[in-house]
Amino acid sequence: MSDMEDEELFGEAADEIRGDVEEHLAAARDALPDADAIWTVEADNTLGVLNGLRSALAAEEVEGHLRDAKKWFTIGERADAFEDADDLREEIETIEDVLDDLEDVSDTVGDLASTIPELRGELESLEDDEE
């Protein structure tokens, strides 16, 4: 194989790697919850709202796509396959930040969803004691 063919193959591989990173980033973005899904919730009570919100915040699919994007990005970067990877790096960081926020909020909602029924039970006990 000539050096020219090697360069051409490397260029094709670099384009494919970048394409893989971009595809996984787009899939991660698509898997993020819709803003309306976490803002508008229909439920009969507080626990229903919290459970609906917790479901809307689910981000496992985002995590998987982000992991794949970072994997291919790392390979491409180590192979020095990207002429300019700043846009990819920024997109990865942006999605990571949103994912961190989703996880934090989901943890908080989970804590509330587990303590609200306990609080309700305590309040009902106090009310029963008064009667």
Side-chain angles (χ1 to χ4, degrees):
M1 243 188 217
S2 71
D3 287 343
M4 187 63 146
E5 287 176 1
D6 287 348
E7 283 299 313
E8 185 177 313
L9 290 173
F10 184 79
E12 286 178 26
D15 289 344
E16 288 176 15
I17 290 171
R18 184 178 185 84
D20 285 344
V21 174
E22 289 171 346
E23 283 178 33
H24 287 294
L25 288 173
R29 255 190 197 276
D30 289 344
L32 289 169
D34 183 56
D36 288 340
I38 64 166
W39 189 254
T40 305
V41 182
E42 292 185 31
D44 294 331
N45 57 45
T46 303
L47 188 57
V49 169
L50 292 171
N51 285 331
L53 180 56
R54 189 168 36 180
S55 293
L57 294 169
E60 292 82 17
E61 190 177 345
V62 177
E63 290 173 359
H65 289 299
L66 182 60
R67 180 175 172 74
D68 287 342
K70 288 171 69 173
K71 176 177 61 177
W72 287 111
F73 179 79
T74 301
I75 289 170
E77 203 169 45
R78 287 189 182 168
D80 200 24
F82 305 128
E83 290 180 26
D84 180 19
D86 289 342
D87 61 327
L88 297 175
R89 185 178 293 104
E90 288 174 15
E91 181 76 5
I92 287 170
E93 290 171 1
T94 298
I95 293 174
E96 279 181 322
D97 289 344
V98 171
L99 184 58
D100 287 345
D101 290 344
L102 281 172
E103 290 170 347
D104 289 346
V105 171
S106 183
D107 289 346
T108 301
V109 169
D111 291 345
L112 282 170
S114 66
T115 57
I116 291 290
E118 291 173 21
L119 178 59
R120 179 181 182 211
E122 291 171 0
L123 292 170
E124 286 175 339
S125 290
L126 286 174
E127 289 172 5
D128 289 344
D129 289 346
E130 286 180 5
E131 293 174 1

